[in-house]
Amino acid sequence: MPDLPDVRRTRAVSRRDALRFAAAASAGLGAAALGAGAPTASAAAPTLIDFAAAQIPADAIRAAGHAGVVNYVSLSRPGSNFGAKPITLPYARSLNAQGLVIVSNYQYGKPGGTAPSDFTRGFAGGVADAKTGWGLHTAAGGGRSAPIFFTIDEDISRDVWNTVALQWFRGINSVIGVQRTGIYGGIDACQWAIADGVVGASSIPGYRWAWQTKAWSGTRIHPQAVLYQRIVDTASNPGPLVGGMRVDVNDVMARDVGQWNLHQ
């Protein structure tokens, strides 16, 4: 893992945090974090992979050294057929059997895709997406208190956040509650979601349900993000192969990233 920008402060580990860390370690995220859960450059963080095209065999994920997956609780867009959308109960059980953790993510639309970006549908869209996402999450065995990370897969302005995306998140909150709502996006979108109180908190003090991608983030990493998407698979910069498929790779920034088996 390359050195990360120095945007985090070292925190003292309390006895309560130590107990939380032990519980999280038993939930599959190892022992690579210090302080309130943040990894250092000298201690590689556990990693989760995300992918859409097909269900990668659990033994291949484990063999590649990853701690688990971020998997979709959303359907494929019209005209597409992504094998990993949505996660299914048999696939979730195969991951669990290999000791891998699972985190839920919702994304149906996409910029320039056959369905528009989800956040553009405002409050009513948030209500509908939360209902769909929660239904698929629970059908696959997702933890009842686990969050779903809802996706903003483009670089948006503060005005678009305030007038459109924020309303979408409030629609989501109205169905599943703030504590079960997370965000995927660049650093600005993560910051706005945290500041506006529409995403919940990790059990690790100081961390929120923010899954930050390096896209649209420059070299900055938000100090409250629980996941950081360090490798984004693109045609010009392919991600690593796992089970014969290219994947994105995410660094675990806190022991509690919303994994299902820590949120039953």
Side-chain angles (χ1 to χ4, degrees):
M1 171 181 168
D3 288 356
L4 298 178
D6 185 15
V7 297
R8 299 177 178 275
R9 298 186 298 274
T10 300
R11 298 177 175 89
V13 182
S14 68
R15 183 174 181 276
R16 182 175 64 178
D17 288 344
L19 292 172
R20 281 176 173 153
F21 293 172
S26 70
L29 285 181
L34 300 174
T40 67
S42 60
T47 52
L48 306 183
I49 59 173
D50 65 276
F51 47 89
Q55 293 178 342
I56 299 175
D59 57 355
I61 297 171
R62 186 171 180 82
H66 301 292
V69 305
V70 184
N71 218 153
Y72 290 98
V73 291
S74 50
L75 301 173
S76 295
R77 293 181 291 277
S80 62
N81 184 24
F82 294 110
K85 283 188 171 187
I87 189 170
T88 61
L89 182 58
Y91 185 55
R93 285 174 172 167
S94 75
L95 295 168
N96 292 334
Q98 288 289 332
L100 300 171
V101 303
I102 305 167
V103 175
S104 288
N105 168 232
Y106 185 93
Q107 183 180 10
Y108 179 70
K110 182 179 181 178
T114 55
S117 294
D118 301 325
F119 74 86
T120 63
R121 295 163 52 245
F123 188 94
V127 169
D129 292 341
K131 289 178 178 178
T132 298
W134 192 249
L136 293 170
H137 170 91
T138 55
R144 290 286 174 166
S145 65
I148 298 173
F149 291 82
F150 289 83
T151 300
I152 296 185
D153 200 14
E154 58 187 281
D155 193 15
I156 65 172
S157 68
R158 183 60 184 265
D159 182 63
V160 169
W161 168 263
N162 287 340
T163 59
V164 183
L166 178 56
Q167 309 314 312
W168 181 60
F169 272 96
R170 286 180 171 153
I172 294 165
N173 294 163
S174 74
V175 176
I176 63 173
V178 170
Q179 183 53 28
R180 292 186 297 193
T181 303
I183 184 173
Y184 166 92
I187 190 168
D188 289 338
C190 290
Q191 171 59 37
W192 299 331
I194 292 168
D196 285 329
V198 293
V199 294
S202 168
S203 66
I204 305 302
Y207 289 83
R208 308 288 291 187
W209 298 140
W211 172 19
Q212 183 193 336
T213 176
K214 74 172 187 178
W216 321 299
S217 295
T219 60
R220 300 171 296 159
I221 301 177
H222 196 285
Q224 293 180 279
V226 292
L227 287 168
Y228 177 66
Q229 191 178 57
R230 174 169 48 89
I231 298 176
V232 182
D233 175 53
T234 64
S236 59
N237 188 27
L241 283 168
V242 178
M245 194 169 79
R246 300 287 179 186
V247 300
D248 302 329
V249 179
N250 306 276
D251 292 331
V252 170
M253 309 303 277
R255 295 296 181 88
D256 176 7
V257 299
Q259 61 266 43
W260 291 4
N261 54 337
L262 198 59
H263 292 271
Q264 295 298 331

